[in-house]
Amino acid sequence: RSRLFAQASVRQTVTVDEKPQAAGRAAVKLEGLSIMEESAARRRVSDSIVSASWKRLSRDGTVHHMKTVRKWKDFKGAGGYSTKSVVTYIHSQNDRYADSILTASDTGGNLQYWYIFSKGDAGRTTDIDNYRPPAERDFPLAEFADTPVDQERHQYAGAAPCGSSQCYLVHSTPVSGSVPYGKKTSFIDQQSLLPVKMEYLDLSGALWKTARLDWQETCGVWFWQRAVIENAQTGAST
């Protein structure tokens, strides 16, 4: 079947906290936490502005699409927050959804949401899916790709082929907070230390979503350029 892709590109220079290690870096420890920390260090930034286009194909053939600009900041615990991000929806198919959504992750792993409509109506909610455009619902970045390393338990599960490369397999389980999945398996490329595939299980332990990521380096920082997300339970593809 055809697949519809999310495209992302860095719009402005980002501030880098830590440069990627040189090719001659010391071998990563074969421990879940060490691998995930090394992987996070390759992608760590203080601030970024990213534009993205999304298309989501439902099982019945319905297509939802949108364009966004996402501003992200690492608060490093200041004020009790780990990160905050604001997604502004440049184009979506229905104005009944929010114009912008602020997602804040506190240091305990809990997610908080604020929304605002183009006419100025605003508020705070615990059920953001009522306000998020359908194109984004299968893979909101703040709830999946941006989970801080210290908010999950990590277990090294061996190695496996991933395309033409070999990957480390790491099982991660949320320790607290409002993360929507029960368990995640990350396929970390052994050479780049970037996650090229992630499998998410729901709270009952069944396969829920699979994400495959392609990466590009911009301004000394790695960002995903293309992602393919498949929902095993609904048949939707983003």
Side-chain angles (χ1 to χ4, degrees), residues 188-207:
I188 308 295
D189 186 279
Q190 293 184 2
Q191 297 301 314
S192 67
L193 293 180
L194 297 171
V196 295
K197 178 181 176 183
M198 293 175 287
E199 295 178 346
Y200 297 90
L201 305 184
D202 62 19
L203 299 180
S204 68
L207 178 63

Side-chain angles (χ1 to χ4, degrees), residues 2-19:
S2 61
R3 286 179 176 172
L4 302 169
F5 301 112
Q7 301 284 346
S9 58
V10 179
R11 295 292 300 275
Q12 294 186 6
T13 302
V14 296
T15 302
V16 181
D17 279 347
E18 183 175 344
K19 289 287 187 181

Side-chain angles (χ1 to χ4, degrees), residues 11-78:
R11 295 292 300 275
Q12 294 186 6
T13 302
V14 296
T15 302
V16 181
D17 279 347
E18 183 175 344
K19 289 287 187 181
Q21 292 176 307
R25 65 178 184 269
V28 63
K29 294 181 180 178
L30 295 182
E31 300 173 352
L33 178 59
S34 296
I35 293 171
M36 298 304 285
E37 286 179 337
E38 291 283 350
S39 179
R42 296 299 301 271
R43 299 170 279 126
R44 185 172 298 147
V45 297
S46 293
D47 307 277
S48 67
I49 301 177
V50 176
S51 64
S53 298
W54 301 72
K55 289 185 179 180
R56 178 171 172 264
L57 176 64
S58 300
R59 177 178 288 166
D60 63 5
T62 302
V63 177
H64 299 281
H65 57 83
M66 69 181 188
K67 295 181 179 179
T68 68
V69 172
R70 178 174 180 259
K71 299 180 180 180
W72 183 91
K73 183 174 180 61
D74 186 352
F75 276 75
K76 301 181 178 66

Side-chain angles (χ1 to χ4, degrees), residues 159-174:
C162 47
S164 60
S165 303
Q166 284 286 315
C167 283
Y168 300 118
L169 268 61
V170 179
H171 297 319
S172 301
T173 306

Side-chain angles (χ1 to χ4, degrees), residues 121-174:
D121 296 336
R124 181 175 177 179
T125 181
T126 57
D127 187 5
I128 197 60
D129 278 348
N130 289 331
Y131 304 91
R132 178 182 286 135
E136 190 189 20
R137 289 182 182 172
D138 264 328
F139 200 70
L141 290 177
E143 297 178 17
F144 289 87
D146 291 343
T147 305
V149 174
D150 61 0
Q151 292 178 9
E152 295 177 318
R153 290 189 298 270
H154 308 283
Q155 180 182 3
Y156 176 60
C162 47
S164 60
S165 303
Q166 284 286 315
C167 283
Y168 300 118
L169 268 61
V170 179
H171 297 319
S172 301
T173 306

